[in-house]
Amino acid sequence: MGDVERIAVISDIHGNLEALTTCLADIRRRGITRIFCLGDIVGKGIHAKECVDLVLENCEVVVTGNLEVFVNEPTNPNDERQVFFTSQLDKERLDKLAALDFCYEMYISGSFVRMFHASPHGVRDRISEIGRQGDMLRAFLPSDKTISRKNADIAIYGDIHVQLMRKFHNKTLINCGSVGCATDVIRDENFDSDDMETTQVFYLIIEGAVGATEYGAPLEFNFVRIPYDIDKELEGLDRIIEPESYYNELKKGQYRDAHRLKDGYNITDQNNPA
Ligand SMILES: [Mn+2]
């Protein structure tokens, strides 16, 4: 049986260096040395380069996100986001991002765990936290992109920027949350808590017998959140694309593309999609 170990799982840094350094310091303070990253290191913020370097230095597993794919696709000069996000990175770093694995699989305390950015089927196949159960079950399936053809017992992902743990019968779906851009797709001023409930660094710690294919050792999931210096990160706001959207994401936790999502409506007025 494998030794009981802790692994920190981080995701969706989005070029936010203050958030990433706060996160890594907290992981280090706990004496955790194993860190996995589930993608979207870049995009949105101005510190893409620094975040790529820190993640590649500190994380033993790094899987690709939709943003790593986006910046490596042929540049569309009419797509301002792609032009800006790609311009932050040199060829060497782009190549490193292009070479990332799609997913990671392991046993821990007897459970078969698969980790990926958005879904086992693709980096742009979003599994929303407010989706129907049938839609969410695809998180446990294998695909032609996964390492094995096994169904997962536990699926761990990023992409939606919201921490989540949900049981489906005898399976478990977990989202580690976003380090650098925690946001909500549903906001409603009549219902919302303080913005600080969203705008922190979020990550996950797993503790269990890593590599153990037999049950017998305990398994724990610890959801962490930590405030960080948002104003310091926003000092470079004048150098960024869509500065107002980025400000609202970091300071207010409002996802910039909520209006594009069919599920992004007010919680108390579900007949009136925003
Ligand atoms: Mn993301």
Side-chain angles (χ1 to χ4, degrees):
M1 194 173 75
D3 292 334
V4 171
E5 286 178 80
R6 285 176 298 167
I7 296 172
V9 184
I10 69 174
S11 189
D12 295 85
I13 296 126
H14 288 289
N16 184 337
L17 184 60
E18 267 308 302
L20 179 59
T21 51
T22 300
C23 183
L24 293 175
D26 190 72
I27 293 168
R28 220 170 288 130
R29 177 183 68 77
R30 295 167 190 269
I32 297 171
T33 55
R34 305 192 69 181
I35 311 174
F36 294 2
C37 176
L38 302 186
D40 275 13
I41 307 161
V42 302
K44 299 187 190 254
I46 51 171
H47 296 110
K49 219 168 40 184
E50 294 87 341
C51 290
V52 168
D53 293 349
L54 271 177
V55 165
L56 294 179
E57 267 165 44
N58 286 281
C59 301
E60 64 176 273
V61 170
V62 183
V63 303
T64 188
N66 51 295
L67 262 304
E68 283 75 32
V69 170
F70 190 48
V71 294
N72 269 295
E73 283 171 342
T75 307
N76 172 0
N78 298 320
D79 189 330
E80 289 180 1
R81 284 186 190 176
Q82 192 197 26
V83 169
F84 177 69
F85 297 163
T86 307
S87 72
Q88 297 176 292
L89 298 159
D90 50 35
K91 170 116 180 30
E92 193 189 336
R93 290 184 177 90
L94 285 169
D95 287 348
K96 286 179 183 169
L97 297 182
L100 295 175
D101 291 333
F102 176 77
C103 72
Y104 185 76
E105 299 176 356
M106 68 175 189
Y107 278 89
I108 185 163
S109 299
S111 297
F112 178 63
V113 182
R114 181 176 288 123
M115 302 186 201
F116 43 80
H117 179 67
S119 105
H121 312 284
V123 291
R124 291 177 172 129
D125 178 34
R126 184 155 288 166
I127 298 174
S128 165
E129 76 280 17
I130 47 178
R132 288 182 299 115
Q133 174 162 315
D135 287 338
M136 297 175 89
L137 286 172
R138 71 187 190 279
F140 303 100
L141 300 173
S143 79
D144 57 7
K145 294 183 166 66
T146 56
I147 298 162
S148 78
R149 293 293 171 268
K150 285 196 275 267
N151 288 338
D153 304 314
I154 300 172
I156 303 179
Y157 73 121
D159 184 51
I160 60 171
H161 298 199
V162 176
Q163 281 180 334
L164 165 84
M165 178 162 173
R166 188 157 161 187
K167 288 294 291 176
F168 292 98
H169 319 296
N170 69 350
K171 295 184 178 297
T172 307
L173 180 66
I174 293 173
N175 194 290
C176 62
S178 169
V179 168
C181 196
T183 48
D184 301 306
V185 296
I186 295 175
R187 296 305 292 256
D188 183 333
E189 59 186 22
N190 299 312
F191 191 79
D192 284 355
S193 297
D194 192 288
D195 290 341
M196 276 293 286
E197 291 296 318
T198 298
T199 58
Q200 302 190 38
V201 168
F202 291 82
Y203 75 98
L204 170 74
I205 297 169
I206 311 171
E207 183 167 348
V210 177
T213 55
E214 305 291 327
Y215 295 102
L219 179 57
E220 296 178 34
F221 298 100
N222 179 12
F223 290 92
V224 182
R225 69 182 192 188
I226 331 155
Y228 72 104
D229 192 343
I230 299 172
D231 290 329
K232 186 168 178 206
E233 188 62 26
L234 288 173
E235 278 168 11
L237 201 60
D238 55 331
R239 283 179 282 148
I240 215 166
I241 190 174
E242 299 173 86
E244 199 180 328
S245 298
Y246 190 61
Y247 179 93
N248 285 336
E249 287 186 331
L250 263 53
K251 290 289 271 191
K252 300 178 187 169
Q254 295 173 351
Y255 176 53
R256 67 179 65 181
D257 291 332
H259 60 282
R260 289 192 199 168
L261 305 173
K262 68 174 166 45
D263 292 328
Y265 43 63
N266 290 348
I267 199 162
T268 52
D269 186 12
Q270 300 203 351
N271 295 319
N272 184 22

